[in-house]
Amino acid sequence: MLTQRLLTSDKGGMVVLGILLLTCVLVPILNLAVPESSALHVSTFTVTLLGKFLCYALLALALDLIWGYAGILSLGHGAFFALGGYAMGMYLMRQVGDRGKYGDPLLPDFMVFLNWDSLPWYWLGFDMFWFAMLMVIMVPAILAWVFGWLAFRSRVTGVYFAIITQALTYALMLAFFRNEMGFGGNNGLTDFKDILGFSITADSTRIGLFLASGIMLIIAYLACRYIVTSRMGRVIVSIRDAETRTRFCGYQVESYKLWLFVFSAVLAGIAGALYVPQVGIINPGEFSPLNSIELVVWVATGGRGTLYGAIVGAFSVNYGKTIFTSFYPEAWLFPLGLLFVLVTLVLPKGLVGLFSRFKRHDKKSDDAKQEDAP
């Protein structure tokens, strides 16, 4: 029964999950077992790029959960992504120890450079992996709970909610740019050495991070699918379609929206934590409101309100971005904007909606042939 709820009734999701599982199996083999001289070899650079796309897909999935099913458009999910990334970055910086440029066993290099004489209290505990992972979950969750409680309690919805979430991420960006905050200022956190005792630049570590990202994306997808197919999911959809009527039916609308918003923020924080060791840096630029707006483009392009469409959109847009920035680095925003406009006007249900349209067309053709048959 549970399998039918999560997978059998979700053919598009089954296809996407199947591709993800196949990728998680083939990529490590083609990277580690196939020699570099072979045309089938997958380079470590490609592994890292795919791992980054998986993190983006997890972030897009988190947004689609609240925007596609609850109608909550957040333009600040980049903040939760960045906070999870900073929590992971702080752990990685504490692992450097005396191998840094200045050789201080306790203080990160940027603190030595700024003449800090002691480690700030909020850096304590980040030398332990379990504590850092707890902060990856708790920091975005607490911020989302406080922000969401205030916003939903005041019944802030629609474009007003989108604006204040954008203001939140912009305020955090400005705060993290300041050197006195103790997060590396404009340069952020970088020059990581290892994670859990393994060299962060080793091929095997890159494969491990890639697999962790893929497995986490699959688990998150199944968790989101479980939510939207449950009784709670039906209430959430009713809130999206008729919030006032749902409230009059006796449901605590604010509680449902708050819980879903917090869960979505946690997924975004985990995506950020997986992203940082793969790209090797986290800086205040990740808080940029433009990043959160681009995230909305991913979800809209793939197909809002489908979950698997968010994954397709994240991969499609970022792959296109990689291609365009390689050949047209000064003009890549124009194709991105054109894509968003075309999807909005021609494909309101995104790329996955296009596949559904072809499927319906084929079904109508088959029905017509059966009717014409003697």
Side-chain angles (χ1 to χ4, degrees):
M1 186 66 178
L2 182 60
T3 303
Q4 183 178 2
R5 266 181 57 190
L6 299 182
L7 297 175
T8 308
S9 60
D10 182 32
K11 294 182 179 179
M14 288 180 64
V15 172
V16 171
L17 289 183
I19 294 174
L20 284 175
L21 286 171
L22 184 62
T23 302
C24 289
V25 172
L26 290 180
V27 169
I29 295 175
L30 296 178
N31 175 257
L32 298 176
V34 177
E36 295 184 11
S37 57
S38 173
L40 297 176
H41 176 76
V42 175
S43 67
T44 302
F45 172 80
T46 304
V47 172
T48 302
L49 186 65
L50 290 174
K52 186 171 71 170
F53 289 174
L54 289 171
C55 296
Y56 286 154
L58 179 55
L59 178 59
L61 180 69
L63 179 64
D64 191 31
L65 179 64
I66 60 169
W67 184 32
Y69 289 89
I72 304 172
L73 175 57
S74 170
L75 294 181
H77 254 51
F80 305 124
F81 178 82
L83 288 173
Y86 265 96
M88 173 60 83
M90 292 165 73
Y91 163 75
L92 295 173
M93 290 298 291
R94 292 296 307 273
Q95 301 307 299
V96 174
D98 58 5
R99 291 173 293 173
K101 180 179 179 180
Y102 297 102
D104 193 297
L106 185 62
L107 298 180
D109 283 345
F110 73 89
M111 290 186 183
V112 178
F113 179 78
L114 294 173
N115 296 319
W116 289 55
D117 55 6
S118 62
L119 198 67
W121 63 268
Y122 45 84
W123 276 76
L124 300 177
F126 277 95
D127 55 330
M128 297 176 287
F129 183 77
W130 68 268
F131 181 83
M133 295 306 98
L134 181 63
M135 292 300 103
V136 165
I137 295 172
M138 293 301 298
V139 172
I142 292 172
L143 177 62
W145 188 88
V146 173
F147 181 84
W149 186 83
L150 292 171
F152 299 139
R153 179 173 175 269
S154 302
R155 298 190 180 181
V156 178
T157 58
V159 65
Y160 303 103
F161 185 85
I163 290 173
I164 62 174
T165 53
Q166 190 173 51
L168 170 68
T169 188
Y170 186 68
L172 286 170
M173 183 184 71
L174 294 179
F176 274 72
F177 265 120
R178 301 178 67 89
N179 287 328
E180 57 267 31
M181 284 287 290
F183 295 107
N186 182 60
N187 295 323
L189 309 177
T190 187
D191 195 27
F192 309 133
K193 304 298 183 183
D194 51 45
I195 179 171
L196 292 174
F198 298 97
S199 173
I200 206 166
T201 59
D203 290 353
S204 57
T205 305
R206 294 290 175 175
I207 289 294
L209 292 169
F210 166 80
L211 289 175
S213 301
I215 293 170
M216 189 63 228
L217 177 58
I218 292 172
I219 293 174
Y221 180 86
L222 294 176
C224 291
R225 181 70 184 162
Y226 179 83
I227 291 172
V228 300
T229 56
S230 66
R231 178 177 176 273
M232 176 186 176
R234 292 191 290 272
V235 174
I236 289 169
V237 172
S238 70
I239 292 172
R240 179 196 66 189
D241 296 337
E243 181 173 333
T244 302
R245 183 178 297 179
T246 305
R247 182 178 285 108
F248 286 160
C249 289
Y251 291 100
Q252 295 290 331
V253 170
E254 290 75 20
S255 298
Y256 282 92
K257 293 169 73 174
L258 180 59
W259 188 94
L260 197 70
F261 187 63
V262 171
F263 181 74
S264 176
V266 169
L267 292 183
I270 294 173
L274 290 167
Y275 171 83
V276 168
Q278 297 186 78
V279 300
I281 188 173
I282 177 69
N283 60 41
E286 296 297 338
F287 285 102
S288 173
L290 180 62
N291 290 355
S292 296
I293 294 173
E294 191 176 333
L295 170 59
V296 174
V297 175
W298 303 346
V299 177
T301 301
R304 172 190 168 198
T306 59
L307 295 181
Y308 63 88
I311 299 175
V312 173
F315 270 89
S316 301
V317 174
N318 282 286
Y319 178 74
K321 180 179 176 180
T322 301
I323 298 298
F324 282 115
T325 51
S326 298
F327 295 100
Y328 309 103
E330 298 179 357
W332 72 269
L333 280 174
F334 293 102
L336 178 65
L338 179 62
L339 173 64
F340 185 57
V341 171
L342 289 176
V343 167
T344 303
L345 297 178
V346 182
L347 300 172
K349 294 185 179 180
L351 295 175
V352 297
L354 181 62
F355 299 139
S356 300
R357 184 183 301 178
F358 285 145
K359 185 177 179 181
R360 287 195 300 269
H361 178 73
D362 292 341
K363 184 177 181 181
K364 288 181 181 178
S365 300
D366 293 339
D367 293 341
K369 290 179 181 178
Q370 291 179 1
E371 291 178 359
D372 295 338

